[in-house]
Amino acid sequence: MEETLMEVRGLEKHYPVDTGLLTQLTGGQRYVHAVDGVSFDIKKGEIFGLAGESGCGKTTTARCLTRLDDPTGGEIRFGDDRRNIAELDRSGLHDYRRQAQIIFQDPFESMNDRFTVRKWVVEPLVIHDIGADEAQETRVYESLEQAGLTPVDQFIDRYLQ
């Protein structure tokens, strides 16, 4: 039986629509329902892809899963202890983000082409203070080998294109 890593139940994200002062004072605030009642499970070791039409809420869902945006409602449970990601404090959120990440639809738009492959792969280790310099370098080499970029020395100092 496959172990569930993440459970998402009834996820909602609503954004307020800018309206006039009178509408807001009379309680007529309107909202865009970007995500409304999304539920799914991600199994341990599974690669999960979220597909759909433009504007259907894929990016908003991913942003809620990583708490780049706070969900309006629902639950996002993660890990063995099934903690609700929506309720994590700053410290808990930092620990969670070391274990979870998203790849946006066009990752090259968010990548700095002035970075070498080495810089891109080591950056999360540096940001999260994982390992000393030598250990980080070893992990970079291992990661590139696992990705099939061998021999590593031919790729590690190239710039993204």
Side-chain angles (χ1 to χ4, degrees):
M1 186 168 141
E2 297 173 342
E3 181 183 342
T4 300
L5 183 63
M6 178 177 276
E7 297 174 10
V8 178
R9 297 291 179 264
L11 181 65
E12 296 179 354
K13 179 61 182 174
H14 304 163
Y15 295 100
V17 175
D18 286 336
T19 56
L21 180 60
L22 182 59
T23 303
Q24 290 178 20
L25 291 174
T26 59
Q29 181 66 52
R30 295 184 348 206
Y31 294 88
V32 171
H33 292 229
V35 174
D36 210 11
V38 172
S39 298
F40 55 85
D41 291 340
I42 301 175
K43 305 291 184 192
K44 193 169 192 170
E46 176 179 48
I47 296 172
F48 182 80
L50 188 57
E53 295 177 10
S54 180
C56 73
K58 300 179 299 289
T59 299
T60 301
T61 298
R63 290 181 63 85
C64 287
L65 296 182
T66 55
R67 283 278 308 278
L68 295 174
D69 286 345
D70 290 326
T72 305
E75 292 184 345
I76 305 164
R77 301 220 170 258
F78 178 80
D80 294 334
D81 59 356
R82 293 292 176 250
R83 60 188 169 201
N84 188 353
I85 302 310
E87 298 172 354
L88 292 179
D89 61 12
R90 185 180 177 121
S91 172
L93 192 54
H94 177 75
D95 292 341
Y96 167 68
R97 286 184 176 153
R98 291 179 69 173
Q99 300 175 62
Q101 64 178 321
I102 56 176
I103 300 172
F104 289 102
Q105 290 172 310
D106 189 358
F108 294 105
E109 286 296 318
S110 62
M111 298 177 106
N112 185 339
D113 59 3
R114 296 183 194 154
F115 284 8
T116 62
V117 170
R118 176 192 318 263
K119 174 78 172 148
W120 267 109
V121 177
V122 79
E123 187 176 29
L125 303 175
V126 171
I127 288 171
H128 294 291
D129 197 26
I130 299 172
D133 291 349
E134 188 175 307
Q136 289 175 349
E137 187 75 3
T138 299
R139 287 186 76 171
V140 167
Y141 269 79
E142 290 171 352
S143 296
L144 293 176
E145 286 174 352
Q146 288 176 350
L149 296 175
T150 56
V152 172
D153 289 329
Q154 287 185 356
F155 296 95
I156 196 160
D157 291 316
R158 286 187 182 178
Y159 288 89
L160 300 175
Q161 299 176 357

